[in-house]
C-alpha cells in the first residue's frame, strides 16, 4: 500500500443505515513515522446522533455512540491497540494482547483532533504520533460506529469478517502500511 490512501468503509450488511450516503477514511503516513487519519461521513446528519463538543461521554464507552476507530497491530503479533475518536473531541485507547484480551494501557498524550461539520457532512482528523504506534510494518483496521437518531447502530469497516460485526477480528485489519523507524 502506498504511503497514503483514501479508502471507503463498508457498512456491515446486518446494520444498514440509509442516512449515511458515504463513509471513507484518508490515511497518510507522516515523514516522522506518525499517521494522519481523516474520516469523512456524508449523509443526513439530522437523522444521526452525533456527540457535540458540549456532550461529555464516558471515555471507556465512546464506541457506544457515533465514533471513529483505528486498530493497529504488527504482522505476526497477536497484540494490538484500539483508538476511539468521538466527534465531541474525546479520545481513548486500549491495548490488547490477543483477540479482545485487554491489558493495561500506558498513558499516552492526547493526539490533536480536528472535527469539522457542514451541511450534510462531518469530518474528523487525527494525527497519531510515532509514540502512539509500533514502528515498521503495520496492519490497520479503520472503522466507524454510527448511531441513528432512534438509537440503532451501524458498523462500518474496510473489511468485515463473516458473522456479527467484530472490529477486533484480524481479518478486518485490512490496510498494510509501513511507517519509518525514527
Amino acid at each position: 500500500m502506498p504511503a497514503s490512501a483514501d479508502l471507503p468503509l463498508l457498512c456491515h450488511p446486518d446494520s444498514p443505515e440509509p442516512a449515511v450516503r458515504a463513509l471513507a477514511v484518508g490515511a497518510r503516513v507522516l515523514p516522522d513515522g506518525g499517521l494522519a487519519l481523516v474520516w469523512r461521513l456524508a449523509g443526513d446528519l439530522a437523522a444521526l446522533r452525533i456527540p457535540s463538543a458540549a456532550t461529555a461521554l464516558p471515555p471507556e464507552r465512546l464506541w457506544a455512540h457515533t465514533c471513529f476507530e483505528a486498530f493497529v497491530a504488527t504482522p505476526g503479533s497477536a497484540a494490538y491497540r484500539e483508538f476511539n475518536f468521538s466527534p465531541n473531541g474525546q479520545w481513548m485507547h486500549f491495548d490488547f494482547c490477543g483477540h479482545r484480551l485487554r491489558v493495561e494501557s500506558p498513558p499516552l498524550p492526547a493526539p490533536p483532533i480536528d472535527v469539522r461539520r457542514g451541511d450534510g457532512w462531518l469530518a474528523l482528523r487525527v494525527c497519531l504520533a510515532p509514540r502512539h504506534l509500533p514502528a515498521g510494518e503495520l496492519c490497520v483496521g479503520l472503522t466507524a460506529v454510527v448511531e441513528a437518531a432512534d438509537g440503532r447502530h451501524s458498523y462500518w469497516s474496510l473489511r468485515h469478517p463473516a458473522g456479527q460485526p467484530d472490529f477486533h477480528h484480524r481479518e478486518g485489519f485490512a490496510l498494510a502500511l509501513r511507517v519509518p523507524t525514527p
Side-chain angles (χ1 to χ4, degrees):
M1 179 59 73
S4 106
D6 199 16
L7 305 160
L9 296 184
L10 306 171
C11 187
H12 191 278
D14 292 346
S15 64
E17 180 46 65
V20 177
R21 283 193 313 276
L23 186 49
V25 182
R28 184 169 53 97
V29 175
L30 301 172
D32 69 356
L35 183 60
L37 299 169
V38 182
W39 284 264
R40 295 177 191 91
L41 184 153
D44 180 3
L45 300 188
L48 304 174
R49 285 188 187 162
I50 299 174
S52 70
T55 306
L57 299 170
E60 298 256 338
R61 294 194 44 83
L62 297 178
W63 53 265
H65 305 281
T66 297
C67 183
F68 304 107
E69 304 178 347
F71 293 79
V72 181
T74 57
S77 171
Y80 61 98
R81 178 168 284 161
E82 174 186 356
F83 294 95
N84 296 166
F85 306 104
S86 172
N88 72 359
Q90 288 180 267
W91 82 291
M92 188 66 180
H93 76 282
F94 305 96
D95 287 320
F96 298 85
C97 64
H99 184 257
R100 295 187 180 272
L101 298 173
R102 198 162 145 200
V103 295
E104 188 171 335
S105 298
L108 291 172
I113 300 171
D114 180 43
V115 180
R116 296 180 190 230
R117 188 175 175 158
D119 186 25
W121 63 271
L122 171 72
L124 184 144
R125 182 176 196 272
V126 63
C127 288
L128 297 172
R131 69 180 155 265
H132 291 109
L133 306 167
E137 206 172 321
L138 300 179
C139 302
V140 182
L142 298 171
T143 67
V145 175
V146 178
E147 186 176 16
D150 65 6
R152 287 177 301 108
H153 291 85
S154 60
Y155 302 94
W156 301 75
S157 184
L158 292 174
R159 180 186 307 149
H160 291 282
Q164 296 296 315
D166 184 0
F167 295 158
H168 292 257
H169 196 288
R170 285 302 275 266
E171 283 184 32
F173 292 32
L175 178 62
L177 295 173
R178 176 169 278 296
V179 296
T181 304

